[in-house]
Amino acid sequence: MTAIRSLDAVQRAYEFLQLERYIEARREWYQLLQGAEPRQQELLAVLASQWGWHDQAIYTLGQLGEFGAIEQRFPLAYADEHRTHSETAGIAPDWAFAVSRRESAFRFDAFSHAGAHGLMQLLPSTARYIGRRDYARHDLQTAGVNIRLGTRYLADLKRRLGDNWVVATAAYNGGIYRVIDWIPQQPMAIDRWVETIPYRETRDYVKNVLAYQQIYLMLENPGQPVNRFRELTDMKISKSLLGL
């Protein structure tokens, strides 16, 4: 690791990060990864994780197939913000961690082609709906603001969808009105319903978030026999069961 830290490109990337010149830092890091051997890339990912540059660590380890590096691939990033705002919103922190991990890999300045910003990838219109005012791009790329609004939006979706967090997860990605159309009239097991979601992106999104929730539940409760999937065993949904 000492040899990696001493590389000129690594030191330049670190200085750019400290100066908040993120474009230059990412450009330097990308060039560095392109010329590195797999073992060097793995060490660079660990170093990025130590710096709190979580998205770089997550993507690099994923590309290398290093799926066992749980600490680096599923960091408790922005832990205070996720826990505090989840508690205030009345939702489970593992859900908030999982959504941020799936949406942006904890990249605070993430920006999508659809116009979504920040850790939890909020559209300005969604932020306005939740916060009752307009938010600038800088606001939505501030971790505390983004997580506060994102957790409140998750709680709002859950409330509007019969207190069902699985269906709310689908709505976070696919939109609440589209998801309501997908809910059956007759009761259906929730795991079967997930498989019937017609949009592959949303179907995969829900599965990813559920898996990440289990990982974060275990990380938040080390040594305890916790199982988020147990809640799904007897869960059924229909329009009437969700009060729709």
Side-chain angles (χ1 to χ4, degrees):
M1 184 64 78
T2 301
I4 290 290
R5 290 179 185 273
S6 65
L7 292 173
D8 289 343
V10 169
Q11 295 183 21
R12 286 194 299 270
Y14 182 77
E15 291 301 323
F16 281 137
L17 285 175
Q18 301 312 300
L19 294 170
E20 298 184 0
R21 294 170 58 180
Y22 301 114
I23 293 176
E24 290 94 333
R26 291 181 186 281
R27 185 179 297 124
E28 194 75 54
W29 202 254
Y30 176 77
Q31 292 298 327
L32 182 61
L33 286 170
Q34 289 296 102
E37 297 294 326
R39 176 54 182 166
Q40 290 177 311
Q41 292 179 1
E42 184 180 348
L43 292 174
L44 287 167
V46 172
L47 184 58
S49 181
Q50 292 174 356
W51 290 350
W53 206 6
H54 299 297
D55 61 293
Q56 290 294 333
I58 290 166
Y59 291 138
T60 301
L61 290 169
Q63 289 181 338
L64 290 171
E66 294 292 337
F67 302 122
I70 300 298
E71 182 179 349
Q72 288 78 35
R73 294 190 64 239
F74 295 93
L76 291 166
Y78 304 99
D80 290 342
E81 291 91 339
H82 279 101
R83 291 167 182 154
T84 298
H85 292 307
S86 293
E87 180 179 359
T88 300
I91 67 171
D94 57 89
W95 191 21
F97 275 116
V99 169
S100 290
R101 170 61 169 79
R102 176 59 180 81
E103 289 287 350
S104 69
F106 300 109
R107 179 176 172 178
F108 73 89
D109 61 342
F111 179 71
S112 77
H113 67 277
H117 297 273
L119 288 163
M120 300 186 79
Q121 286 291 275
L122 292 172
L123 291 168
S125 57
T126 301
R128 186 185 311 113
Y129 162 72
I130 291 296
R132 298 294 187 262
R133 69 174 180 85
D134 290 327
Y135 289 85
R137 178 171 180 166
H138 171 76
D139 295 327
L140 296 180
Q141 293 186 348
T142 299
V145 174
N146 192 281
I147 295 170
R148 175 170 57 84
L149 294 170
T151 51
R152 286 173 61 187
Y153 186 45
L154 285 172
D156 179 76
L157 290 171
K158 184 169 177 276
R159 175 187 60 79
R160 295 163 67 189
L161 291 164
D163 206 36
N164 190 300
W165 51 272
V166 179
V167 182
T169 298
Y172 195 91
N173 175 262
I176 185 169
Y177 298 112
R178 184 178 292 124
V179 168
I180 287 173
D181 286 340
W182 299 340
I183 297 170
Q185 295 289 346
Q186 299 301 316
M188 177 184 290
I190 192 71
D191 55 349
R192 181 183 172 196
W193 177 77
V194 170
E195 294 295 343
T196 68
I197 293 174
Y199 285 14
R200 179 176 178 179
E201 177 188 337
T202 301
R203 186 168 64 248
D204 290 345
Y205 180 91
V206 172
K207 292 179 182 180
N208 287 159
V209 170
L210 289 174
Y212 297 169
Q213 279 185 264
Q214 177 60 28
I215 292 170
Y216 277 109
L217 187 65
M218 294 171 66
L219 291 173
E220 286 280 86
N221 301 275
Q224 298 184 32
V226 292
N227 188 343
R228 180 65 72 200
F229 295 112
R230 188 174 295 121
E231 299 177 35
L232 307 181
T233 303
D234 299 316
M235 186 185 293
K236 295 184 181 298
I237 64 166
S238 69
K239 283 187 165 60
S240 60
L241 288 173
L242 297 182
L244 301 173

